[in-house]
Amino acid sequence: MTTSSLSKLSRYEQGTNLYVKNIDDIVNDEKLKEMFAEFGDVTSSKVMMNPEGLNKGFGFVSYSKPEEALRAMNEMNGKMIRRKPLYIAFSQRMEEMRTHLQTMLSHM
């Protein structure tokens, strides 16, 4: 595993990586970082873009400490940014999300 992969894995395990949904169309990586900087040390921010370079409406923000991420999630979840309320959750690796969804569906 590369150092970068270990760093990403560590962020998931520590609860420092947030998933941000309902990002307004005008928000880019820098604006996302500015929106979340008041809650702590933002180590990275990324708005996902489509092949044409348009914002897909979601992204990720990572903090240096779990407490900062938790505070940002509590303060920003539901906050109206222009026309949309933000949805914030701890980011999960794809494998974890699949397992969680399969478990939920099997109990229906």
Side-chain angles (χ1 to χ4, degrees):
M1 221 181 248
T2 66
T3 304
S4 176
S5 296
L6 287 172
S7 176
K8 287 179 185 175
L9 180 62
S10 177
R11 282 194 302 234
Y12 288 117
E13 291 172 349
Q14 294 176 6
T16 58
N17 200 31
L18 299 177
Y19 168 72
V20 183
K21 186 170 105 174
N22 287 344
I23 296 173
D24 195 80
D25 297 341
I26 65 165
V27 175
N28 60 20
D29 294 347
E30 190 57 38
K31 179 66 176 166
L32 186 63
K33 185 174 185 172
E34 288 173 18
M35 290 166 46
F36 283 82
E38 71 180 273
F39 305 105
D41 179 26
V42 175
T43 58
S44 69
S45 60
K46 181 69 178 162
V47 175
M48 304 310 291
M49 303 292 203
N50 69 17
E52 291 79 39
L54 300 174
N55 173 331
K56 287 176 134 182
F58 73 96
F60 301 90
V61 177
S62 293
Y63 285 93
S64 58
K65 298 177 186 167
E67 305 82 38
E68 296 168 342
L70 181 61
R71 186 168 155 239
M73 184 172 68
N74 289 335
E75 297 277 336
M76 295 293 283
N77 191 42
K79 184 173 183 176
M80 292 294 292
I81 303 295
R82 293 183 48 115
R83 306 177 310 259
K84 302 177 183 179
L86 291 179
Y87 170 81
I88 316 289
F90 284 112
S91 180
Q92 296 177 308
R93 288 183 295 176
M94 194 64 95
E95 304 85 43
E96 290 175 5
M97 193 172 8
R98 271 194 202 106
T99 302
H100 177 72
L101 290 173
Q102 286 171 344
T103 302
M104 285 178 48
L105 291 173
S106 69
H107 291 285
M108 293 180 100

